Amino acid sequence: MPTKSPVEDEVVAAVGRLLRRGLPVTPAAADPVLLDLRGIIARAVDPADETSRTAALDGTLRGLLARFPDTRYAPAARALFGLPPATPGQTLTVRRDLAAEQAGHEVHHFRKRVEPRLIEKIAWELLADADRFTRSRMIAPRLAPAAERQPVQADPFAWEVAEHEEHLCRLWSAIYAARAELLAVERLISLDADQIDILHTAVTAAWRWAVARAEAIGYTTAFAPDLEPDGLIALPGWIPTLTEAQASRLTEAASGGASREQFVHSLHGETGLGNTWAEGFLARAAPSEGPEKNGSLS
């Protein structure tokens, strides 16, 4: 195993200290080294407020544990931090017993051999998350409540600034909408839902992703020519591998504010493209009973 840096050691130790109380993270239990991670700061509604960053840390940890990469130890990792099958408020001893049971190990062996590796894995996931935010030049704009109307002055500079913010908000709205649908597809697959429901949601995800790609191309062309649209469209999450021609075809079908119905109609007969998109998701799902469905975008 490679030697850890001092920062990695600090993050590992801080994650270990969170075990004492488990989730939810409280300000008293939140270590500054975790609150100062770039991914936490970027997600906080108010980065200057410790309570806001604590909430961001809690949400980030829950997301990482929900998608824990080691499927064998995922339930154990969640139980260890107080997530189901554990419950909030249980002591570390109780949570550790549950985690050991989920992992199929004797408690002493789990504590000495397995638990430290789970803590390290979570710490590394937090560091990887922070690195992704550090390398990304685009972070969603933070919104704050407006106490009064904020009219745009009748001035060319004010118009330009307002137009830029308008396009930026449309871009991030599309990115988050695509993210939501991609998550919905993965959730249905995990639930072993009916294949028809998965395919319907996958088509919606294709439409949302294509809208986001169109917005990314429009935004970078008009306001940020030094940014690559592909870097922005990677933010919503994993999608099946597409050729440049296939990505462009989806984008064309979604451009101009096309509705889902218009998007599907435009791609009528594009069975090859539909199969590429649908099978990319279905290949990751467990085999199910019933007739095969083709990937027609409908």
Side-chain angles (χ1 to χ4, degrees):
M1 182 179 295
T3 303
K4 296 191 293 293
S5 69
V7 172
E8 290 173 328
D9 283 332
E10 290 179 14
V11 172
V12 170
V15 172
R17 286 191 287 273
L18 283 178
L19 281 183
R20 297 169 188 171
R21 294 189 178 182
L23 299 183
V25 181
T26 63
D31 197 295
V33 72
L34 299 180
L35 296 180
D36 289 340
L37 290 172
R38 186 73 177 95
I40 305 306
I41 293 173
R43 289 185 179 90
V45 175
D46 182 359
D49 180 63
E50 184 178 295
T51 301
S52 181
R53 282 187 288 160
T54 300
L57 173 60
D58 184 76
T60 301
L61 283 169
R62 290 172 186 271
L64 292 178
L65 288 165
R67 294 183 288 274
F68 196 73
D70 189 329
T71 55
R72 176 185 174 185
Y73 288 109
R78 290 193 279 269
L80 198 57
F81 281 85
L83 299 178
T87 57
Q90 289 179 324
T91 66
L92 177 55
T93 299
V94 173
R95 286 183 274 121
R96 188 174 280 138
D97 288 345
L98 280 170
E101 180 183 348
Q102 292 293 319
H105 291 299
E106 183 272 329
V107 175
H108 180 75
H109 174 82
F110 177 84
R111 180 179 181 181
K112 294 295 184 181
R113 301 290 184 182
V114 180
E115 183 179 306
R117 293 185 179 276
L118 295 180
I119 292 171
E120 284 190 350
K121 181 61 179 174
I122 293 167
W124 290 337
E125 291 290 336
L126 283 171
L127 287 166
D129 174 77
D131 182 59
R132 288 191 292 270
F133 273 93
T134 300
R135 288 185 284 109
S136 175
R137 296 178 56 190
M138 290 291 292
I139 295 178
R142 298 185 180 91
L143 303 180
E148 56 187 21
R149 184 181 176 184
Q150 299 172 311
V152 176
Q153 300 299 317
D155 173 83
F157 175 74
W159 294 332
E160 182 179 342
V161 171
E163 183 182 18
H164 177 253
E165 184 174 350
E166 175 188 340
H167 280 266
L168 191 62
C169 289
R170 293 186 190 281
L171 168 65
W172 282 102
S173 175
I175 286 174
Y176 278 109
R179 173 66 175 162
E181 293 302 332
L182 290 171
L183 282 172
V185 175
E186 297 291 4
R187 178 176 55 82
L188 289 175
I189 290 172
S190 179
L191 288 168
D192 196 22
D194 188 283
Q195 196 174 92
I196 293 176
D197 293 333
I198 295 173
L199 287 171
H200 181 84
T201 307
V203 171
T204 305
W207 167 56
R208 290 294 191 186
W209 180 87
V211 169
R213 187 171 189 268
E215 290 288 348
I217 292 172
Y219 176 80
T220 55
T221 300
F223 300 101
D226 57 326
L227 290 179
E228 288 291 334
D230 288 344
L232 290 170
I233 201 55
L235 294 174
W238 182 91
I239 64 163
T241 301
L242 302 173
T243 65
E244 180 60 34
Q246 288 173 327
S248 295
R249 182 69 187 95
L250 289 176
T251 306
E252 177 187 4
S255 62
S259 67
R260 184 189 187 280
E261 291 72 21
Q262 291 170 326
F263 174 76
V264 170
H265 179 75
S266 178
L267 294 171
H268 180 71
E270 298 272 3
T271 304
L273 175 53
N275 283 337
T276 297
W277 182 269
E279 290 173 3
F281 288 108
L282 295 178
R284 307 171 73 196
S288 58
E289 298 283 332
E292 283 190 1
K293 309 292 180 182
N294 65 36
S296 178
L297 288 167
S298 59

